[in-house]
Amino acid sequence: MLLSSYRSPCYTAVMFWTEEFTEQIKERFHKKIADDSPLIIRDEKTLSGRVHVGSLRGIVLHGIIAQVLAEQHVKSIFMYELNDNDPMDGLPINIDQEKFAPHMGKPLFAVPPVHEGEDNFTTGFGEELKLAVNPMGLPIEWYHLRPLYLAGKFNEVIREALDGAARIREIYQEVSGGGKPDDWFPLNVICPRCGKIGTTKVTAWDGNEVTYECKKHYVKWAEGCGHKGTMSPFDGNATLPWKPEWAAKWKVLGVDIEGGGKDHYAAGGSREVAAKISEEIFHYPAPFDVAYEFFNFQGKKMSASKGLGASAKEVADLLPPKILKFLMIRKEPRQPIDFDPEGKTIPNLFDEYDRCADHYFNRHAEPFVGYARPFALAQIDPLKEPEDLWEMRFQSLSFVVQMPHLDIETEAEKLKGKALTEAEKIALHERASYVKKWIDTLAPAEYKFVIQDTTPDGLDLNDKQKKALHELGKRLGDLKEWSGETVHDKIHRTKEEFELTPKEIFQPLYRIFINRTSGPQVGWFLSTLDQQKVADMLIASSS
Ligand SMILES: [Zn+2]
């Protein structure tokens, strides 16, 4: 069964955002779809350094649209560009500044590799991005830009841009208010003498060749060599500047669907300029658009102290691929995603995933498509029905991985109430490895559990609480069977008998044993400790 056939008729009619987009896409491209031509979806990243985690939002957003279209039997190809053609206009930190500074202004493909054995400067960054993205199972065709220029695929749009230079200058002026001088042409040639592209200025176009100059002080970040001449702008000799180039790529690749990050969508911003150039100069309709909000990574302060940066790969390593995918699609594109690896983001994300699983598998009384759908879409193999697995909650697991005397599978079976299936064991150990990594490196103090040996300071109990905890201590000490259920049962009965609110009894229990105000499921948690110790500490704390 495909995931598109929802499991239950009791979902509300509300669509998840992915379907809202695919409905509009199918309406706009109905002719192309009827002809059985694949829709072209595109996104890109310039490989000028390690790729920031924020780029994953665009990749997953475009990829999930392709995935949903496939479910609906609409063919599409998601082409992701690893841009190796832009000029090097800045140096990432962590690379040898002295070695790479002389290459500033060259196209990235012409800059030497960071590590031996790689093709060029961009290779390692592209491969690392693939390692972060590929485990999510999205249908992606990776491509490089440079070979398209070399093969002459951009020749026609370069000619159109040069012929339309005056109109492109006007479009800049009309749309963004930032005009270009009358002698500006929308092209950068690669200087045949120094190899730089960021420093050259085209000053004339005669229909066959451009006149150019490699200017010493054209840009702040690179120095030109002063060479002047004329040359053909075709077959990889030159590239378009980025706004006309964005539009040109739509035409060259036949792009139907391409969104962009919020920063491109200010009034008069790059998207508007590109759309106008696409329509007026290249006579190509601007693609179906999805503007998406930022991915806010709140971990800058930690990069120095804990060695975790904000790269896509480093963040991908913190999460199972399906949870990473879930993170990127759970919110609709117009909402920002806030991610703080040192805060509660990661535990909350696992909880949210489990909650959505409850909706998908109808374990929730009123299953809601807005929760069930992102769970289904986040699965790695979209053609495989997800298996209904029992999973240990993040908080319980974070407790178990910190208690050397506890066995993960044994505790999981206690919590589940019966034996785990093989698939559940695999899922449990996978999740445990991510939880442990997080606890060991990034987790805030409130997730670190230390079993107390004496009553913590400042335990402020009223008389009713004291009497109840004293009685509970005696009852737990007398228990014949020491298990999560029997402990839970005694706590519950004592709470009722002494007319305590849940908070009045649970908070002191967490305070006494782990000096926190909350923690894992309390009956099970106490049952993992020594029975006599629990009884003694309760009596001592309430005396
Ligand atoms: Zn030069």
Side-chain angles (χ1 to χ4, degrees):
M1 185 174 80
L2 285 175
L3 300 183
S4 53
S5 35
Y6 297 134
R7 294 168 61 90
S8 161
C10 56
Y11 289 134
T12 66
V14 177
M15 278 191 284
F16 192 54
W17 65 263
T18 45
E19 277 71 22
E20 286 177 18
F21 283 114
T22 52
E23 285 310 305
Q24 294 171 43
I25 288 166
K26 286 193 288 187
E27 196 180 313
R28 173 165 163 183
F29 299 106
H30 62 94
K31 280 198 189 119
K32 196 168 179 182
I33 294 167
D35 291 345
D36 214 24
S37 305
L39 301 181
I40 304 299
I41 305 172
R42 200 196 79 96
D43 188 15
E44 70 169 90
K45 180 67 193 163
T46 296
L47 297 177
S48 52
R50 293 188 86 176
V51 178
H52 187 270
V53 57
S55 295
L56 291 181
R57 185 165 201 182
I59 299 177
V60 177
L61 182 144
H62 290 90
I64 212 75
I65 288 175
Q67 183 181 314
V68 172
L69 286 171
E71 270 182 19
Q72 300 171 1
H73 309 289
V74 174
K75 284 185 190 161
S76 72
I77 300 172
F78 172 28
M79 305 183 69
Y80 193 87
E81 178 179 294
L82 299 168
N83 187 330
D84 53 355
N85 203 62
D86 279 356
M88 179 182 247
D89 60 1
L91 292 178
I93 50 168
N94 302 334
I95 67 160
D96 185 341
Q97 306 287 303
E98 226 167 277
K99 176 182 167 190
F100 286 98
H103 300 287
M104 288 287 284
K106 287 185 188 170
L108 289 163
F109 68 82
V111 178
V114 182
H115 304 105
E116 251 179 75
E118 295 170 348
D119 288 345
N120 62 53
F121 188 76
T122 68
T123 314
F125 304 128
E127 290 308 309
E128 190 187 55
L129 178 64
K130 288 183 192 173
L131 289 177
V133 170
N134 285 340
M136 288 187 278
L138 295 161
I140 301 183
E141 287 192 12
W142 306 91
Y143 76 95
H144 289 87
L145 180 57
R146 177 62 182 162
L148 299 185
Y149 270 103
L150 278 177
K153 303 275 186 202
F154 280 76
N155 289 355
E156 184 193 338
V157 284
I158 286 173
R159 180 177 291 283
E160 286 174 324
L162 289 171
D163 288 345
R167 180 62 194 136
I168 291 180
R169 291 194 289 264
E170 280 171 14
I171 290 173
Y172 272 90
Q173 181 63 41
E174 285 166 17
V175 178
S176 67
K180 296 285 182 190
D182 286 346
D183 63 347
W184 179 86
F185 281 83
L187 196 77
N188 297 99
V189 301
I190 301 174
C191 174
R193 190 157 86 185
C194 71
K196 292 183 181 175
I197 191 170
T199 51
T200 60
K201 183 172 189 235
V202 168
T203 53
W205 157 243
D206 67 6
N208 286 312
E209 293 195 318
V210 289
T211 306
Y212 66 89
E213 182 182 352
C214 181
K215 294 172 79 107
K216 206 166 167 65
H217 302 297
Y218 193 44
V219 290
K220 284 205 176 73
W221 36 269
E223 198 172 284
C225 69
H227 183 69
K228 291 179 185 176
T230 57
M231 70 193 292
S232 159
F234 302 126
D235 300 325
N237 287 350
T239 65
L240 294 159
W242 91 269
K243 288 172 200 173
E245 187 186 61
W246 195 6
K249 288 169 182 172
W250 295 338
K251 179 171 181 175
V252 169
L253 295 158
V255 177
D256 299 303
I257 300 156
E258 179 167 341
K262 176 188 168 182
D263 41 333
H264 300 307
Y265 290 83
S270 47
R271 178 74 183 207
E272 209 179 327
V273 173
K276 202 148 190 172
I277 292 175
S278 185
E279 278 154 18
E280 287 197 30
I281 305 296
F282 302 134
H283 311 290
Y284 187 83
F288 179 86
D289 194 3
V290 183
Y292 50 89
E293 256 285 355
F294 289 131
F295 181 100
N296 300 311
F297 182 84
Q298 291 146 349
K300 287 196 186 90
K301 62 181 158 61
M302 128 187 87
S303 52
S305 60
K306 290 183 180 166
L308 178 86
S311 75
K313 179 65 167 62
E314 286 163 289
V315 174
D317 286 346
L318 299 175
L319 299 167
K322 64 185 179 186
I323 304 257
L324 179 63
K325 201 172 167 187
F326 178 79
L327 165 69
M328 297 294 167
I329 59 173
R330 171 73 187 88
K331 286 192 170 180
E332 64 169 285
R334 282 178 195 284
Q335 293 177 311
I337 298 174
D338 296 313
F339 189 86
D340 179 2
E342 284 187 297
K344 288 186 173 176
T345 308
I346 289 178
N348 287 348
L349 188 60
F350 278 83
D351 286 350
E352 176 74 353
Y353 179 85
D354 291 347
R355 188 162 76 99
C356 288
D358 286 343
H359 283 262
Y360 182 82
F361 292 114
N362 291 329
R363 293 190 289 250
H364 193 276
E366 291 173 39
F368 174 55
V369 68
Y371 298 141
R373 188 65 176 141
F375 169 82
L377 290 174
Q379 303 308 307
I380 303 306
D381 182 353
L383 297 177
K384 209 173 126 204
E385 178 64 22
E387 208 179 333
D388 190 354
L389 300 178
W390 180 89
E391 296 234 44
M392 197 192 277
R393 299 302 296 262
F394 190 96
Q395 194 172 43
S396 306
L397 204 40
S398 70
F399 175 74
V400 176
V401 299
Q402 292 177 72
M403 297 294 134
H405 69 287
L406 296 180
D407 175 67
I408 292 175
E409 279 186 27
T410 309
E411 296 309 318
E413 295 194 337
K414 282 190 205 162
L415 281 167
K416 185 190 175 190
K418 54 183 172 183
L420 301 184
T421 65
E422 282 311 306
E424 284 169 345
K425 284 181 191 173
I426 292 167
L428 175 70
H429 289 291
E430 188 203 43
R431 184 175 280 204
S433 70
Y434 284 98
V435 171
K436 186 161 191 330
K437 187 157 51 174
W438 184 72
I439 294 286
D440 289 346
T441 55
L442 297 162
E446 64 188 290
Y447 285 88
K448 306 255 169 88
F449 297 118
V450 178
I451 303 297
Q452 307 293 301
D453 289 318
T454 55
T455 307
D457 292 338
L459 182 69
D460 192 15
L461 302 174
N462 61 35
D463 281 349
K464 208 162 65 165
Q465 284 175 306
K466 278 186 184 169
K467 281 183 191 151
L469 290 174
H470 196 87
E471 183 59 28
L472 180 63
K474 287 202 291 186
R475 289 174 181 179
L476 292 182
D478 290 343
L479 264 182
K480 295 274 181 299
E481 188 206 334
W482 185 243
S483 73
E485 292 93 71
T486 56
V487 174
H488 172 83
D489 182 59
K490 285 284 176 262
I491 295 170
H492 186 71
R493 280 165 194 266
T494 310
K495 172 175 97 58
E496 295 293 300
E497 216 170 290
F498 287 83
E499 296 177 331
L500 296 178
T501 64
K503 193 179 165 187
E504 281 175 315
I505 192 154
F506 292 138
Q507 264 200 5
L509 287 174
Y510 290 121
R511 284 273 280 132
I512 291 165
F513 293 100
I514 49 176
N515 201 14
R516 298 261 173 266
T517 51
S518 63
Q521 203 176 313
V522 74
W524 164 76
F525 151 63
L526 291 180
S527 79
T528 65
L529 307 177
D530 179 71
Q531 181 175 7
Q532 197 55 51
K533 178 181 171 171
V534 170
D536 290 348
M537 277 187 71
L538 280 175
I539 290 165
S541 305
S542 54
S543 298

